[in-house]
Amino acid sequence: EESNIFFEAAQEELWLEVLHGEGHHEHSMLTAPTGRYALWWHVIVFPLKFAFHYTLVDCREDGMRPYYGRMIAFCTFYLASLSYVMILCCNYIGDWIGTTPTVMGLTLSAVGTSFPNLWSSMVVARQGYGNMAICNALGSNIFNVNIALGLPWFVFLIIRSGKPYDEMKDHGIVMFVVLLEMVCVIWFAM
């Protein structure tokens, strides 16, 4: 109960800052926030903030175009690494409460990966960028299917000399992938 109140208060302070754009240009990830709960949360996630601050640059600034590829590579690395940590944590929590990894994947990790997209879409939609909110929703799914799923499977096939991956029961995933790709084609054709 105490930690839940702590987390909610820190999250509320940080989202109010994001929504109202306080200190947008002067704000640094390494700057300590003013609220008590936000300060504690800042201390907990400081190692990640430190790594992000010194490996990622703001490509919106003039002259940063040559760094686009580097930023995509670093962001993909961070996404893969933190996703792996999240899956490990979900498995440990599932073992602790006595449930299967499938149930944890369909509940806790699904919610945990969807809420950041929801929040970022809400923030940009409230700022008047509805197209950006829609692109965020479609873009994250396209990236997840084509890169997060497709790239590891492609590398796996190359390593196994073209032998198919038959260890996972797909339960109709091919139909959903084809449907998503059709939506992408229609979206880009417009």
Side-chain angles (χ1 to χ4, degrees):
E1 184 72 27
E2 182 76 25
S3 63
N4 193 24
I5 293 170
F6 159 75
F7 182 72
E8 288 175 3
Q11 207 173 27
E12 182 179 337
E13 289 173 13
L14 292 174
W15 276 112
L16 284 174
E17 184 176 321
V18 168
L19 285 174
H20 297 297
E22 297 171 8
H24 174 68
H25 295 289
E26 300 84 23
H27 185 72
S28 167
M29 280 194 283
L30 301 180
T31 305
T34 56
R36 182 175 73 167
Y37 296 115
L39 181 62
W40 280 103
W41 186 247
H42 172 76
V43 169
I44 291 170
V45 297
F46 186 79
L48 286 176
K49 287 183 172 188
F50 185 82
F52 295 159
H53 182 75
Y54 286 107
T55 58
L56 303 175
V57 296
D58 189 356
C59 288
R60 297 173 294 181
E61 297 176 7
D62 293 333
M64 292 297 175
R65 189 175 180 98
Y67 294 105
Y68 285 174
R70 177 181 150 198
M71 292 306 99
I72 290 172
F74 270 116
C75 289
T76 304
F77 169 76
Y78 284 135
L79 180 66
S81 302
L82 295 174
S83 296
Y84 182 74
V85 170
M86 182 193 73
I87 295 300
L88 283 178
C89 291
C90 284
N91 284 338
Y92 289 138
I93 292 170
D95 288 343
W96 181 58
I97 62 175
T99 188
T100 64
T102 304
V103 171
M104 293 305 292
L106 292 174
T107 55
L108 186 63
S109 65
V111 169
T113 57
S114 296
F115 271 122
N117 287 332
L118 171 70
W119 278 107
S120 62
S121 293
M122 285 175 48
V123 167
V124 295
R126 287 182 180 175
Q127 293 174 348
Y129 300 109
N131 288 344
M132 190 180 290
I134 299 297
C135 289
N136 181 32
L138 286 176
S140 63
N141 288 320
I142 292 167
F143 183 85
N144 287 340
V145 168
N146 291 326
I147 303 298
L149 288 176
L151 187 62
W153 283 346
F154 181 70
V155 171
F156 182 81
L157 286 174
I158 290 173
I159 291 172
R160 290 190 52 182
S161 302
K163 295 178 185 173
Y165 182 74
D166 56 358
E167 297 164 11
M168 183 182 91
K169 306 297 183 235
D170 68 354
H171 301 293
I173 194 171
V174 173
M175 180 188 73
F176 292 115
V177 170
V178 170
L179 181 64
L180 180 64
E181 295 299 327
M182 286 176 28
V183 168
C184 292
V185 168
I186 292 169
W187 178 264
F188 290 116
M190 297 174 131

